[in-house]
């Protein structure tokens, strides 16, 4: 026989942080009492989407037809593109470490690239391949290597890729 009765689907409201430990009613009351916030005074601290290199084919083109420069903590591949802005991609091998370690290094490099975005020569695609030596490097050491890389890139900006 067919089952005609359908059990009700439960909808759970989750409230994050300290409010999750309270009952849903109390949490809702607290949220109503909270003052409405103004716009976020701190703009996004992420590398803008238009400056990210994500497509597999774009990565392949940079690897095959681009130039490279090696540094102690990373290898930088670069190639001209037909866009006004630069795009930056990151590659961290499993040889470097487990996922949390790889993601940490990528976050640090993304932040460095975001801070130094105006120093990247425009109209190029960049791929930063992290070396395993970067594991023990501090943010300041990575920043120093990125500065050296950008100085080198700006010297060679007039040459064709």
């Amino acid at each position: 026989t067919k089952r005609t009765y359908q059990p009700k689907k439960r909808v759970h409201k989750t409230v994050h942080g300290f409010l999750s430990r309270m009952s849903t009613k109390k949490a809702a009351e607290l949220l109503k009492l909270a003052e409405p916030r103004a716009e976020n005074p701190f703009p996004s601290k992420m590398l803008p989407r238009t400056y990210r290199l994500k497509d597999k084919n774009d990565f392949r083109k940079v690897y095959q037809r681009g130039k490279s420069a090696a540094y102690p903590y990373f290898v930088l591949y670069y190639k001209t593109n037909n866009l006004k802005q630069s795009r930056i991609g990151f590659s961290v091998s499993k040889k470097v470490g487990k996922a949390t370690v790889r993601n940490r290094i990528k976050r640090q490099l993304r932040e460095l690239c975001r801070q130094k975005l105006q120093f990247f020569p425009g109209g190029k695609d960049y791929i930063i391949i992290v070396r395993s030596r970067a594991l023990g490097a501090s943010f300041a050491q990575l920043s120093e290597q990125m500065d050296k890389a950008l100085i080198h890139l700006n010297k060679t900006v007039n040459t064709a890729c």
Side-chain angles (χ1 to χ4, degrees):
T1 62
K2 273 191 171 180
R3 189 171 153 186
T4 56
Y5 167 74
Q6 292 287 332
K8 288 185 179 179
K9 290 185 179 179
R10 293 183 182 183
V11 179
H12 296 284
K13 290 185 179 180
T14 57
V15 182
H16 299 287
F18 75 96
L19 297 177
S20 63
R21 287 178 242 129
M22 298 181 182
S23 68
T24 326
K25 268 187 183 177
K26 274 190 174 181
E29 288 172 16
L30 275 176
L31 287 174
K32 285 179 186 175
L33 294 174
E35 293 180 24
R37 293 184 182 183
E39 281 189 46
N40 186 358
F42 307 103
S44 177
K45 297 281 186 181
M46 292 176 62
L47 187 65
R49 193 173 293 263
T50 55
Y51 293 98
R52 296 183 201 168
L53 186 66
K54 288 284 201 181
D55 191 33
K56 181 180 176 181
N57 292 326
D58 292 335
F59 268 82
R60 193 171 356 102
K61 286 176 189 174
V62 176
Y63 284 133
Q64 289 175 352
R65 300 186 202 134
K67 292 186 178 183
S68 66
Y71 301 96
Y73 299 128
F74 54 86
V75 178
L76 182 67
Y77 280 83
Y78 56 98
K79 180 192 171 306
T80 55
N81 60 21
N82 296 328
L83 305 170
K84 290 181 181 178
Q85 79 268 4
S86 299
R87 296 184 300 175
I88 305 166
F90 300 93
S91 176
V92 186
S93 170
K94 287 185 179 180
K95 292 178 187 176
V96 173
K98 302 236 180 212
T100 53
V101 174
R102 295 194 309 264
N103 289 336
R104 181 177 171 266
I105 292 173
K106 279 194 283 189
R107 279 195 307 272
Q108 288 178 333
L109 287 171
R110 260 197 308 266
E111 176 60 17
L112 280 173
C113 291
R114 187 192 66 80
Q115 289 175 358
K116 301 172 188 300
L117 201 55
Q118 68 271 17
F119 300 113
F120 278 91
K124 291 184 186 285
D125 287 338
Y126 301 95
I127 298 176
I128 297 173
I129 302 171
V130 178
R131 292 181 162 184
S132 58
R133 282 184 239 167
L135 276 178
S138 67
F139 189 79
Q141 290 170 323
L142 287 173
S143 180
E144 184 181 325
Q145 285 300 311
M146 185 64 72
D147 290 341
K148 288 180 182 178
L150 290 172
I151 289 168
H152 176 257
L153 283 174
N154 284 308
K155 283 182 183 175
T156 60
V157 74
N158 294 329
T159 60
C161 290

